[in-house]
Structures are given as structure tokens and as C-alpha cells.
Amino acid sequence: MLDRPAERNAIDATMVEELHGVCAELEREPGVLLLTGGTDGVFAGGADIAQLRERRRKDALAGINLRLFERIRALPMPTVAAVDGHALGGGAELSYACDIRLATPRARFGQPEPQLGILAGAGAAYRLVRLLGESVAKQVLLAGRTLDAQRALDLGLVIDVVPPEELLAAAHVTVDRMLRGSAVALRLTKLAVDAPEAAHPQLDLVAQAVLFEDEEKFTRMDAFLNRGSRGGH
């Protein structure tokens, strides 16, 4: 859980380091990541402006937030962001790096970076185009449009909108639904979805070939066939 409530969960150097630590654990022992800012009406209000103010060219080229979000994006198992309240700037980009997003009615997604003299340089410029299309991405990035929860749902940016008190439970339902599937199939499906278009269809064929030999495939399909056989009597 993002836990800097007094600073509206602004992403600072300490949080970046802690999230890198979480990524390292999930790279060693793959599992589903659930990110939340709690239920205080804010997911992450962006980068810590006081720290951002002091960053210079070398810091931008180091990609402090971008490299973290790319690492989250590349985690082997699915990632879920449970967004209650504002996800702005780097906070929004953190949510875009996740595979699935849920929201409460008070969720807001926006990129106010140009108002601070910078651009959304931690993934929004290309992820939003893929997630929402060029037109909507430019509305958010250039025209400063903020997407409320209903608009985010209509556009497919979030999978569901639920009351704040139900957010974590709904997120766990989503996680549990994924975990009922084969972990290997989830990992290979994520690789296939995230791969560049040029990698298909060869990647799909290789991934399916691996799964066709996986013992879990036979176990799961036998169970399915046995259920069907019992249902016929």
C-alpha cells in the first residue's frame, strides 16, 4: 500500500526504493501485485514536487520513475491498481503501468505536468495511446482533461467502479479470479499481450506449445471433462 497520507501519497525517492524492493521480491517469487493508496480518497497525487523541483537533466535521463514503472509493467504475473480518489501525474502513470485498474466513484485520472513546465515522462505519453487511443490520450496530455471514474469505466481504463468501502474486497475478487487459472498460462498470456505486434503470431505459437506440454493443462482439462461426464448422468 502507498502510505504517505500527509503528502497525498506523493511518490518520493523512498517510495521508489520501496517499490523496487517489492518488484525484486515478485521477480524472485512471482505473484500478483495489488497496489492501493488506501481508502482516504487519494491513490497518489503525483511525484513529490519538492524533490522534483530539484531534479536536473541527469535525473531526467536516469528515468527515476519511468524505470520503476517499466519494472512494474514487466513483472511476470499480473498487476492490479485499486484507485480511490486522485491518481494524478506520476500517480496516474503508476496506475497505467498496472495490467488492471479498479476505481471508486471519486477516482480521477489526470496529467497536469505541463502546468509545472514538464511533460508526463514516466509512461503516459505512450501508454495512454495504447490504453485509450490517440485522441483521448491527447485530451488528457495536451488539453488537461481529467477522467472521472465513470468516464474511465466507459473508456475501458478501469474494469469496475465500486464504493470505497468495497474497493479492496473487489480487488481481491479480481486477483482471486486470476489466480484460479494456471500461473504459467497467466505469465505467458501477459508476455503475449505485452509483446510488440511484430512478435506475433510466432510468440503465440511458442507460448501455446509450452502450455500444451505443461502437466497442469492435463490436470485441468481432465477435471473439466470429468465434470462434464458426471453432469451427463
Side-chain angles (χ1 to χ4, degrees):
M1 184 176 79
L2 309 179
D3 190 23
R4 298 186 72 211
E7 293 79 20
R8 299 180 61 78
N9 287 340
I11 301 169
D12 67 347
T14 299
M15 187 183 291
V16 168
E17 183 179 351
E18 290 172 347
L19 286 171
H20 272 299
V22 172
C23 288
E25 292 179 18
L26 292 172
E27 288 161 353
R28 288 191 300 268
E29 297 289 339
V32 174
L33 171 66
L34 173 57
L35 278 177
T36 175
T39 55
D40 294 327
V42 59
F43 176 72
D48 187 300
I49 302 301
Q51 292 188 5
L52 198 60
R53 166 66 177 77
E54 301 307 313
R55 290 181 184 172
R56 306 302 291 249
R57 182 183 298 117
K58 64 180 178 61
D59 300 305
L61 293 174
I64 295 170
N65 287 358
L66 176 62
R67 295 188 189 283
L68 169 63
F69 299 166
E70 287 292 323
R71 191 174 185 181
I72 290 172
R73 181 68 177 177
L75 286 172
M77 290 284 279
T79 53
V80 177
V83 180
D84 179 34
H86 288 85
L88 301 175
E93 290 176 300
L94 174 58
S95 77
Y96 307 153
C98 293
D99 299 305
I100 303 290
R101 286 155 295 279
L102 293 92
T104 69
R106 56 190 180 187
R108 299 290 185 274
F109 299 87
Q111 304 297 153
E113 285 88 349
Q115 298 176 31
L116 296 170
I118 58 175
L119 59 78
Y126 55 93
R127 285 206 180 94
L128 270 184
V129 173
R130 186 169 185 181
L131 288 168
L132 303 177
E134 181 179 333
S135 178
V136 177
K138 286 182 175 179
Q139 292 172 35
V140 174
L141 294 165
L142 301 180
R145 182 173 187 179
T146 298
L147 302 178
D148 62 22
Q150 185 59 52
R151 185 63 174 152
L153 180 64
D154 293 342
L155 291 167
L157 183 62
V158 302
I159 190 174
D160 203 0
V161 176
V162 299
E165 63 273 15
E166 298 176 16
L167 179 62
L168 292 183
H172 282 291
V173 167
T174 299
V175 170
D176 291 344
R177 185 185 307 124
M178 289 190 286
L179 291 177
R180 286 199 292 269
S182 158
V184 178
L186 277 176
R187 292 184 65 173
L188 291 179
T189 299
K190 179 172 175 174
L191 279 175
V193 172
D194 287 343
E197 186 175 351
H200 302 283
Q202 291 82 3
L203 173 60
D204 306 62
L205 296 175
V206 172
Q208 193 73 298
V210 170
L211 291 168
F212 272 14
E213 296 294 330
D214 188 54
E215 188 61 35
E216 190 168 352
K217 182 204 87 166
F218 296 100
T219 301
R220 287 175 173 272
M221 290 191 176
D222 285 345
F224 177 85
L225 292 171
N226 288 334
R227 285 199 303 272
S229 175
R230 290 195 299 271
H233 292 289

